[in-house]
Amino acid sequence: MTGEPVAPRLEVVEYTDPLCPWSWGSEPTFRRLRQVLEGRVRWRRVYCILFDDDDDPAPDAAAETAWYARYIEEVGAHTRAPYAARLSRVAASSWPASLVAKAAEAQGEEVSGRALRRLRETVFVLGEPADTLDLALSAVRDVPGLDPDRLRRDATSEAVREKVLADRGEARRPVAEVLAPPPGDSPHPGAAKETDDGTGLRYALPTVLVRGEAGHRAVPGWRPYDEYVAAVEELSPGLTKPARPLPADEALRRHRTLTEPERSALACGPWPPPGAVRADTANGPLWLCPSEAEVHPATRPHDNSGPLAPR
């Protein structure tokens, strides 16, 4: 029997958190990689719970918020990712956003990806982290193709909580390769972090683990696109294909929102495409396709007096 050989099955595991600034900054690379590997691998997201429910509250919430806002700015200086002109608070918990993101997976890969993107944008574009269940559900309620009633039922179910709890546990069993900082000069090299309670280690975020029949490869922290491709190719030579940018209007329509680093990586041709809506942040714009701009929190009428007014 002739035909193209079947590539070995690979799983790409993305250890992440909806509210993590390094994960947000890695979106251009991960979107590009997912586009290249679409239909060729299983891509699974594991929610680490960066802000846990049992974390002690800060004695001075305003000071903590100011410190964390500066930290996000420092990360943004490396990643060029947008960040809000004003951060209202440090997220009280990652659980609500993680539960909603995990629950959205039952509605398909495209819907869940769009929901996760909205959850990230609550903190890094709007400055209002989705750290309660109502805020998380509200952030994604207008995501195209999403059933909000089903999402609420699933997000409050014991089954989804158990899945996120399993994610949290998995993220606290890092592979040996990430226990020490890998070589290189990355500002975020990705060595495993000590847990807040000091009882163990967890993956630094983001970390990607590529797994297949031939073993696994870990790519931790802030890394260039080529390192992820190399990890995939080591386990399955020839699996990746050239990353070709899409025409500007097609790229924006497909991804619905694009940051400046993302449009550089994913789009080609004159910019902005017709109908694109620009929402400014303190570190560059977020571009929205027309249908996304109609429902996105950054462009809702009650938000238009703030730093994210579209233009």
Side-chain angles (χ1 to χ4, degrees):
M1 184 173 181
T2 61
E4 292 187 4
V6 177
R9 180 176 177 82
L10 288 186
E11 180 183 53
V12 177
V13 187
E14 177 190 349
Y15 294 92
T16 190
D17 187 285
L19 309 181
C20 169
W22 285 109
S23 296
W24 166 242
S26 297
E27 283 279 274
T29 297
F30 290 168
R31 279 183 153 186
R32 184 182 179 191
L33 188 65
R34 287 174 68 88
Q35 186 170 308
V36 163
L37 295 175
E38 188 174 23
R40 300 179 175 211
V41 301
R42 178 192 181 206
W43 190 296
R44 180 168 63 92
R45 291 189 177 101
V46 174
Y47 295 105
C48 178
I49 307 297
L50 185 61
F51 302 99
D52 216 335
D53 283 345
D54 57 5
D55 291 346
D56 294 331
D60 186 336
E64 183 192 39
T65 299
W67 173 85
Y68 195 66
R70 289 193 298 271
Y71 173 67
I72 291 175
E73 290 179 21
E74 291 171 2
V75 173
H78 294 292
T79 66
R80 295 175 48 233
Y83 52 78
R86 177 184 174 275
L87 180 67
S88 67
R89 63 191 178 280
V90 177
S93 173
S94 292
W95 274 96
S98 298
L99 288 167
V100 167
K102 183 62 70 174
E105 292 178 357
Q107 300 192 37
E109 185 176 342
E110 186 172 347
V111 168
S112 65
R114 289 174 176 175
L116 175 59
R117 177 68 175 209
R118 283 278 193 93
L119 293 164
R120 296 196 196 283
E121 289 168 348
T122 64
V123 60
F124 301 113
V125 175
L126 302 173
E128 295 285 345
D131 57 358
T132 70
L133 188 61
D134 283 344
L135 287 174
L137 290 169
S138 176
V140 305
R141 69 175 183 262
D142 294 320
V143 164
L146 182 138
D147 180 338
D149 294 329
R150 178 185 179 185
L151 185 69
R152 178 177 285 276
R153 289 194 304 271
D154 290 346
T156 55
S157 70
E158 189 59 30
V160 167
R161 175 166 284 275
E162 288 297 321
K163 288 181 180 179
V164 176
L165 190 61
D167 278 4
R168 182 186 180 279
E170 180 180 341
R172 283 154 178 77
R173 297 188 296 272
V175 295
E177 293 90 328
V178 304
L179 299 185
D185 57 358
S186 170
H188 179 45
K193 304 281 189 181
E194 186 175 291
T195 55
D196 289 338
D197 60 10
T199 61
L201 296 172
R202 64 163 176 83
Y203 283 107
L205 304 182
T207 290
V208 164
L209 193 66
V210 184
R211 302 198 299 199
E213 294 177 359
H216 67 261
R217 298 291 184 273
V219 189
W222 168 251
R223 297 287 159 179
Y225 173 77
D226 288 347
E227 289 197 27
Y228 298 98
V229 171
V232 171
E233 287 293 314
E234 284 181 27
L235 296 179
S236 185
L239 186 63
T240 57
K241 56 185 179 180
R244 293 188 176 90
L246 298 173
D249 58 343
E250 184 180 345
L252 188 58
R253 185 168 59 252
R254 171 171 179 162
H255 296 289
R256 301 194 64 81
T257 68
L258 290 172
T259 64
E260 282 292 297
E262 287 173 334
R263 83 168 181 92
S264 297
L266 301 169
C268 62
W271 193 271
V277 175
R278 171 177 175 147
D280 284 319
T281 78
N283 199 35
L286 180 75
W287 295 96
L288 303 93
C289 73
S291 59
E292 182 71 8
E294 291 177 358
V295 296
H296 196 282
T299 54
R300 287 175 188 159
H302 66 269
D303 292 325
N304 285 354
S305 61
L308 291 169
R311 70 183 200 184

